Amino acid sequence: MASNSRRVGLIYDDRMCKHFDPDDQYHPENPNRIRSIWKKLESSGINQRCIVMNGKEAEDKDIALVHTKAHIDLIRNISSKKIGLKRNKIAAKFNSIYFNEGSSEAAYLSAGSVIQVAEKVAEGELDSAFAVVRPPGHHAEENEPMGFCLYNNVAIATRYLLDERPDLGIKKILIVDWDVHHGNGTQKMFWDDPRILFFSVHRHDFGSFYPGGEDGSHVMTGEGPGAGYNINVPWENGRCGDADYLAVWDHVLIPVAKEFGPDIILISAGFDAAIGDPLGGCRVSPYGYSVMLHKLLEFAGGKIVMALEGGYNLESIANSVQACIEVLLQQKPIAGSSEAYPFESTWRVIQAVRDKLSAFWQPLAERLTEKTTSMTTPYIQVVSSDSEDEYDTTPHTVSQELEKDIENIIQPFSDLKVNDGQACTISHTWRAELSKIDIWYATFGSNMYQSRFLCYIAGGQVEGMQKPCIGSLDKRKPKEIIWKTFPHRLFFARERTATWGPGGVAFLHPESNSDEKAYMCLYRITLEQFNDVLLQENVSNFDMNSPLFDMTDLQSIENSKCVSAEAVKNGWYHNVLYLGKENGLPILTMTCRLSDIDNFKSGNVLTCKPSKEYANNLIRGLVEGKQLSEEEATTYIQEAASRAL
């Protein structure tokens, strides 16, 4: 079909910009996300080649197809004046949610707009469509909002087509969720429904990446009549790019889609796996997205509805959306190329998915050939550090060099050589030794929240973090977790970090004070793991051929009380502090030096209140650890942040 005859719908409504975080102007899910997209589409003129529509509010009866009455009542009334000051308190009860006076209208417009274009595509009035909407939807569950999502827009539209408009002849729907986070809400809503094939490719990082847990695992395949109709492709690590996603398309999604034969495709189009996204840590290019979309055009007569989900780098999200709309108009990918190979872990995940689903889908029964899986790109580890001040250019020089290296790597592992294996032998020797030694790592900041701490072990990130952690080489979970209080002062300092953005981060005063009381979560981990955490807390990149804190340091610290990790002395947390023993094992933490306290007191280095997202991690840790109630934990953090040193 000629490109000028393609009827592509495009929805944008500025009223959805009325929804924003009243307490955090830097919140990643903000109105500029859709404004930047629309500005890009206008400047390129591509909007003039589409059928542009205003948003339309959803009706409660349609939302009730997937959400409970209590959920609907909450979202409908949350922006009313009578809620007023209670709004923030209500939001705090949910996972990564904010509300303001414009939230209700935006949520209804977002859901209604996706219904509107889905219906028009199903009717044949449009060939395809893109709904530039917010708030996003795929995390929202039947009875609660979460993860920036208020209503599950794609799920509502799916159920609407199947149950409210049977006259349209839509009997089977494929939902493709390529947002970097797992679509937990959508999965649960269609868990046992064979009419919907739900496919999600996302970072999982062994359950430590948001939304966390095992819902996003490849073993979650549906149940009852829906068994086999839920497909999760869970990345083990960040930095996955075009080659990784296209390998999944060719070896999982496309073969299954051919057998399923959908009547229409709905895409939960999150672009937080795009290059440069602060939350995703992956590297999909606009070209990559365009090829992924183009491969789906062969199904359902090209009837595709795309609904915006995540994506928090304004340039990447705008360029990626434009690339996708170009595909819908032209029916071919944008110009570009992708020469890199998938990671080795990508092939491992793909084979595990195929093995799990082979009983349901015959095309997946055959094992991938060694020739196919041997073409891999080396995985270069990049570490994110709370000590990495975004105003300090030195760490970023290292980071940018690594970015360039990764862009250029296309050779297999066999091309990489280490002189005589010496470096590998040295690293293996100290790791083998320290992996046998257990210590208690005492945490007082965001690491009190277990999911956040596990990012330092297994890799990944939790909501609010702007950069992922690479994790420890030893990804075993802590053997024990206990809580204790210590006579030390908790306070917050520094103005901004690369991990959390604007706002202070937690420090523990190195000197004890009987008048102070700091809550600390203690993780029993190996000394090898402690070294990997110490590294990630302090620097962006470092050659770990030798430990930062070795057996000599461990033996001396009981008398010296503190040891400076000199190799990372420019980091904010290089001072390892001894806090005593528990069950015969040393208790260690990491904080600033005593000399830094003078700089904080004098104002040479600023003390600063934590951001809302950072503080919420501390509060969540204290509450889930059953140390304080939410109100008590909030007060504890506020007092620590407001008291002068």
Side-chain angles (χ1 to χ4, degrees):
M1 185 180 292
S3 63
N4 59 8
S5 65
R6 292 291 298 173
R7 297 161 299 175
V8 177
L10 182 59
I11 277 193
Y12 172 81
D13 196 310
D14 202 55
R15 288 177 291 172
M16 284 181 269
C17 294
K18 295 179 183 178
H19 171 66
F20 57 85
D21 189 333
D23 299 321
D24 184 3
Q25 62 177 318
Y26 298 103
H27 195 287
E29 207 297 283
N30 65 70
N32 289 332
R33 296 178 60 241
I34 60 172
R35 285 176 178 151
S36 67
I37 293 171
W38 192 245
K39 183 178 179 180
K40 178 74 174 181
L41 301 183
E42 283 188 318
S43 65
S44 69
I46 198 171
N47 63 317
Q48 297 177 15
R49 297 157 60 194
C50 301
I51 300 171
V52 178
M53 296 170 283
N54 290 325
K56 179 182 178 181
E57 291 192 17
E59 298 181 30
D60 283 350
K61 65 180 180 64
D62 296 329
I63 298 171
L65 294 169
V66 300
H67 289 294
T68 63
K69 182 180 184 301
H71 182 107
I72 295 170
D73 290 343
L74 169 69
I75 303 303
R76 186 199 312 114
N77 298 317
I78 197 64
S79 296
S80 65
K81 290 182 179 180
K82 66 180 182 180
I83 298 293
L85 298 176
K86 300 177 183 177
R87 200 172 289 126
N88 283 359
K89 191 172 183 180
I90 295 172
K93 295 179 180 180
F94 299 105
N95 185 336
S96 302
I97 287 294
Y98 65 78
F99 297 123
N100 76 336
E101 293 85 351
S103 298
S104 296
E105 183 180 20
Y108 275 84
L109 283 167
S110 188
S113 297
V114 179
I115 294 175
Q116 183 182 0
V117 290
E119 187 171 38
K120 289 183 180 298
V121 171
E123 289 172 337
E125 185 178 332
L126 297 172
D127 295 304
S128 57
F130 198 115
V132 183
V133 296
R134 61 176 294 271
H138 70 150
H139 291 311
E141 300 195 346
E142 180 185 17
N143 60 349
E144 67 174 320
M146 69 175 285
F148 309 161
C149 303
L150 303 188
Y151 284 142
N152 196 315
N153 308 317
V154 166
I156 294 168
T158 297
R159 193 74 81 185
Y160 177 83
L161 293 180
L162 290 171
D163 296 347
E164 297 299 301
R165 292 298 309 273
D167 56 300
L168 297 177
I170 301 296
K171 300 184 184 299
K172 292 188 289 184
I173 296 179
L174 167 62
I175 298 176
V176 175
D177 188 334
W178 68 41
D179 189 283
V180 79
H181 302 96
H182 178 237
N184 55 287
T186 313
Q187 171 174 294
K188 291 178 181 178
M189 289 169 176
F190 303 125
W191 185 242
D192 58 357
D193 194 334
R195 299 176 300 171
I196 298 105
L197 175 62
F198 176 65
F199 171 90
S200 178
V201 55
H202 50 271
R203 279 191 65 179
H204 188 242
D205 296 29
F206 305 99
S208 65
F209 197 78
Y210 191 89
E214 293 306 306
D215 283 347
S217 169
H218 73 286
V219 303
M220 306 297 282
T221 59
E223 67 180 10
Y229 290 89
N230 193 90
I231 301 177
N232 286 324
V233 180
W235 297 140
E236 296 179 356
N237 47 259
R239 309 197 69 78
C240 294
D242 295 357
D244 305 281
Y245 280 77
L246 294 178
V248 170
W249 254 237
D250 291 343
H251 297 286
V252 178
L253 177 57
I254 298 304
V256 173
K258 285 180 180 178
E259 187 169 318
F260 180 66
D263 298 314
I264 191 171
I265 299 174
L266 271 63
I267 300 178
S268 275
F271 295 97
D272 39 9
I275 294 172
D277 190 272
L279 299 188
C282 287
R283 301 188 51 77
V284 181
S285 70
Y287 169 75
Y289 283 117
S290 75
V291 177
M292 288 155 60
L293 177 58
H294 181 253
K295 287 176 178 287
L296 295 173
L297 281 175
E298 69 174 277
F299 304 105
K303 291 183 176 181
I304 293 179
V305 177
M306 305 184 71
L308 184 66
E309 297 284 0
Y312 308 100
N313 179 305
L314 301 186
E315 182 178 2
S316 280
I317 193 174
N319 290 337
S320 300
V321 171
Q322 167 137 325
C324 288
I325 294 175
E326 194 69 56
V327 172
L328 297 179
L329 287 165
Q330 299 284 355
Q331 292 192 292
K332 63 181 181 181
I334 64 172
S337 64
S338 182
E339 298 178 340
Y341 301 131
F343 290 128
E344 183 274 334
S345 63
T346 295
W347 291 120
R348 183 167 59 247
V349 169
I350 289 174
Q351 189 60 65
V353 172
R354 288 171 62 95
D355 289 346
K356 187 65 179 177
L357 290 162
S358 60
F360 305 102
W361 304 101
Q362 181 59 35
L364 304 185
E366 186 176 344
R367 288 193 66 82
L368 298 175
T369 65
E370 185 176 346
K371 181 179 180 182
T372 298
T373 60
S374 65
M375 304 301 285
T376 61
T377 288
Y379 183 76
I380 292 182
Q381 295 190 345
V382 180
V383 178
S384 172
S385 161
D386 276 0
S387 295
E388 187 180 339
D389 191 329
E390 291 188 350
Y391 298 119
D392 179 359
T393 60
T394 305
H396 292 283
T397 303
V398 175
S399 178
Q400 288 163 3
E401 289 172 356
L402 282 170
E403 293 277 349
K404 186 176 180 181
D405 289 342
I406 292 166
E407 292 266 358
N408 295 331
I409 286 176
I410 59 173
Q411 74 268 38
F413 277 116
S414 57
D415 291 346
L416 298 180
K417 297 179 180 178
V418 179
N419 293 337
D420 300 325
Q422 182 177 5
C424 291
T425 302
I426 294 171
S427 177
H428 175 75
T429 300
W430 77 259
R431 286 187 175 277
E433 178 185 10
L434 300 192
S435 68
K436 300 173 184 176
I437 308 299
D438 283 359
I439 57 97
W440 292 102
Y441 169 41
T443 63
F444 50 82
S446 62
N447 286 333
M448 292 190 294
Y449 176 37
Q450 185 176 343
S451 295
R452 161 60 178 117
F453 172 67
L454 288 177
C455 295
Y456 276 150
I457 300 299
Q461 66 195 108
V462 293
E463 206 69 41
M465 291 173 63
Q466 299 187 7
K467 299 176 70 175
C469 300
I470 197 60
S472 170
L473 288 187
D474 180 356
K475 298 188 182 299
R476 291 176 295 174
K477 291 184 178 181
K479 296 171 184 174
E480 289 183 71
I481 302 174
I482 61 174
W483 285 81
K484 292 178 71 72
T485 58
F486 293 86
H488 285 261
R489 168 71 195 279
L490 175 71
F491 66 96
F492 297 87
R494 305 283 179 171
E495 292 180 273
R496 170 186 288 266
T497 64
T499 303
W500 297 99
V505 287
F507 290 91
L508 195 74
H509 196 301
E511 286 189 334
S512 62
N513 183 338
S514 59
D515 293 330
E516 299 289 350
K517 180 181 179 181
Y519 290 88
M520 302 183 74
C521 182
L522 278 60
Y523 299 96
R524 184 178 173 182
I525 59 176
T526 68
L527 194 53
E528 177 195 8
Q529 290 175 316
F530 181 78
N531 270 271
D532 287 336
V533 174
L534 183 61
L535 174 76
Q536 293 173 81
E537 282 280 20
N538 283 285
V539 297
S540 293
N541 184 55
F542 184 75
D543 184 356
M544 283 285 278
N545 284 336
S546 59
L548 303 175
F549 184 90
D550 60 17
M551 286 301 298
T552 301
D553 295 321
L554 186 63
Q555 291 163 3
S556 67
I557 197 170
E558 187 171 350
N559 293 322
S560 64
K561 302 305 179 188
C562 64
V563 170
S564 174
E566 289 300 308
V568 291
K569 63 182 180 181
N570 291 327
W572 298 348
Y573 297 94
H574 74 272
N575 185 31
V576 179
L577 198 63
Y578 177 78
L579 296 175
K581 288 188 175 182
E582 177 70 24
N583 294 331
L585 298 177
I587 303 172
L588 306 177
T589 192
M590 54 192 78
T591 186
C592 60
R593 299 168 300 177
L594 193 57
S595 60
D596 292 326
I597 299 295
D598 294 331
N599 287 324
F600 293 135
K601 287 181 177 179
S602 66
N604 290 334
V605 181
L606 293 179
T607 56
C608 185
K609 292 182 178 180
S611 68
K612 181 181 177 182
E613 288 290 345
Y614 181 77
N616 282 345
N617 276 271
L618 275 71
I619 293 168
R620 195 170 292 140
L622 289 162
V623 173
E624 290 186 3
K626 295 181 171 37
Q627 300 303 297
L628 298 171
S629 68
E630 185 175 328
E631 185 176 351
E632 290 169 337
T634 302
T635 301
Y636 171 69
I637 301 303
Q638 289 175 343
E639 288 181 352
S642 59
R643 287 169 53 209
L645 278 171

